[in-house]
Amino acid sequence: MIRPLALLLLLMGPALAQDVPAARRAAEAERAAAAQAAERAREAAAQAQQLASERIAGAARVQAAERAALAAGTRAEAARRAEAEARTEQERIAAELAPLMPLLMRLAAQPAPILLAAPLPPAEVAMGLAALRAMLREAQSMAEALRAAEARAAEEARRFAEERRQRGLAEAEARQASIQLDRQLDAARQQLAERSAAERAAAARAEEAVARAQSLEEAMARLEREQARRAEAERRAEARRQTAAERRLAARRPAEPPPEPAPVPVPSAGSSQPVAGRLVRGFNSPGEGGPAKGLTFAASPGARVTAPCGGSVAFAAPFRSYGRMVILDCGQGQHLVLAGMERLDVSAGQRVQAGEPLGVLPGAGSPTLYVELRRRGEAVDPRPLVRAGA
């Protein structure tokens, strides 16, 4: 007597034999598709890295040219002051010599007859001659000082003209480098426009949460809550995906393991000053509103601002009196605030590397960039992360 299970296997044997090759082909096709997707992801990551490197190099050229222009401007101003001082000294000496010149010229030509003609004792005549010689030596010394002041004024004038020329060349180089960088940024903006709807929605929620805040402290707290909520949602979604993938793998038991996904870039920390300028207010320095919670840099109009750390852009929009502001999530619970820009070159949700351009300061007046570092909600000294030149 044939048992039911044996009979079932006997009847389904041919069908099972036909399905095994088909299942293998399907598994192989899926593995090939996964490998192609991983390869495309690696290529996209490599291309993104190349473009980011180009933007970093472009921003570095712009800031180098801006620093050269600032240095040339400083030297030109020093030369202008030195020329003015030399001219002032020249005029002072000339004014002191002017009343004495007629008498000195006569005495220099015939000092003895003038004194000998006077009805004076010989001893007084001798003393007068000695005094005249001393006066002539003093006048000669003043004349030499006058000639030296004139020469120094002329040299400082030449140096001023040369420094102005060098500043013009550096400013032209900065403009050209800025134009090239803007082209690279346009290409980056086109790529960002292709981000998924989910990424755009998450970035928009974070931006909206920050925009509703009444202060920077409240904005940072809202941002951290939104990021924690998003991270938890992503963790759960990843756990669901992992579980589903494990079930599929267990069902198929493929002969070869699936290809590893492309590595996710880790936020990098930098140590570069975010703008070509000088530090005008340090962390914890006193002020009207109490000790400073960040750093303030003074820079030239239209100066470029770059990322001191790598990570993701958590916020990029106008905020209260801070102007256009960027908040970078640098990882390890660190958020870097950069405020005071007139134009932004990044958007929320975008990943950046240290040195990539973030925006541009106002093109007129005396613009400043404010930089604040928050570590787990507390303002800390940004200088370990930001190289702050004096």
Side-chain angles (χ1 to χ4, degrees):
M1 181 177 179
I2 301 176
R3 294 183 178 181
L5 180 57
L7 179 61
L8 180 62
L9 291 173
L10 182 62
L11 293 174
M12 296 184 62
L16 288 173
Q18 293 175 359
D19 286 347
V20 169
R24 286 178 179 170
R25 287 193 298 272
E28 290 172 359
E30 188 165 343
R31 286 198 298 274
Q36 290 178 356
E39 180 61 25
R40 286 195 297 271
R42 281 191 289 270
E43 291 176 356
Q47 183 182 18
Q49 175 63 40
Q50 176 65 26
L51 293 174
S53 299
E54 291 175 0
R55 291 194 295 272
I56 291 170
R61 284 194 298 271
V62 171
Q63 288 192 329
E66 289 174 344
R67 282 191 290 272
L70 280 174
T74 301
R75 292 193 302 270
E77 178 60 23
R80 186 196 64 77
R81 288 196 301 268
E83 180 190 1
E85 291 171 1
R87 295 292 183 196
T88 301
E89 180 68 9
Q90 174 187 347
E91 292 170 0
R92 183 187 67 78
I93 296 173
E96 290 178 359
L97 275 174
L100 301 176
M101 287 306 294
L103 176 60
L104 290 173
M105 290 176 67
R106 289 180 60 194
L107 289 174
Q110 292 179 327
I114 294 176
L115 285 174
L116 292 174
L120 296 173
E124 292 185 11
V125 171
M127 291 177 60
L129 288 173
L132 283 175
R133 291 191 188 96
M135 186 183 298
L136 287 172
R137 285 195 297 271
E138 178 66 19
Q140 184 178 6
S141 175
M142 293 177 68
E144 290 174 355
L146 178 60
R147 285 193 294 271
E150 290 174 346
R152 188 162 65 90
E155 176 59 28
E156 295 298 346
R158 284 193 294 271
R159 189 163 70 92
F160 179 38
E162 174 60 21
E163 295 298 349
R164 280 196 306 179
R165 188 182 73 84
Q166 292 293 336
R167 182 176 61 183
L169 292 175
E171 289 173 347
E173 171 63 21
R175 285 192 297 270
Q176 185 61 31
S178 184
I179 290 171
Q180 294 175 357
L181 180 58
D182 282 337
R183 290 172 183 161
Q184 294 172 335
L185 291 170
D186 287 339
R189 277 189 278 271
Q190 291 176 2
Q191 286 186 335
L192 288 174
E194 299 173 358
R195 286 186 305 172
S196 68
E199 288 177 325
R200 290 196 298 270
R205 284 195 300 271
E207 221 168 50
E208 183 183 356
V210 173
R212 288 198 302 268
Q214 298 299 316
S215 67
L216 186 57
E217 288 77 7
E218 183 185 351
M220 297 304 298
R222 286 174 178 265
L223 177 62
E224 289 178 354
R225 287 196 297 270
E226 177 61 26
Q227 287 186 328
R229 187 198 64 75
R230 191 197 314 174
E232 178 62 20
E234 290 175 353
R235 187 189 64 77
R236 291 178 180 175
E238 180 60 28
R240 289 194 296 270
R241 287 193 296 270
Q242 185 66 26
T243 301
E246 290 174 355
R247 287 175 180 170
R248 288 196 301 270
L249 290 174
R252 293 195 196 96
R253 298 187 183 278
E256 298 178 3
E260 294 183 359
V264 177
V266 179
S268 59
S271 59
S272 60
Q273 185 169 304
V275 70
R278 59 188 181 89
L279 183 66
V280 293
R281 189 180 183 192
F283 179 75
N284 237 1
S285 60
E288 292 182 1
K293 295 182 178 180
L295 308 174
T296 301
F297 295 92
S300 299
R304 292 278 176 166
V305 179
T306 56
C309 69
S312 61
V313 179
F315 179 83
F319 181 75
R320 302 293 179 242
S321 61
Y322 287 85
R324 283 173 170 78
M325 184 173 77
V326 170
I327 301 177
L328 288 178
D329 183 350
C330 300
Q332 300 178 340
Q334 297 184 116
H335 289 89
L336 192 65
V337 178
L338 300 102
M341 287 170 275
E342 183 178 66
R343 191 190 85 193
L344 298 179
D345 294 324
V346 292
S347 57
Q350 180 179 346
R351 295 194 66 82
V352 297
Q353 297 184 24
E356 282 201 65
L358 300 178
V360 179
L361 291 182
S366 302
T368 58
L369 177 72
Y370 177 71
V371 181
E372 182 174 316
L373 178 62
R374 291 263 168 172
R375 185 173 294 142
R376 295 178 180 85
E378 295 294 327
V380 297
D381 191 349
R383 283 176 295 183
L385 187 66
V386 177
R387 185 178 68 244

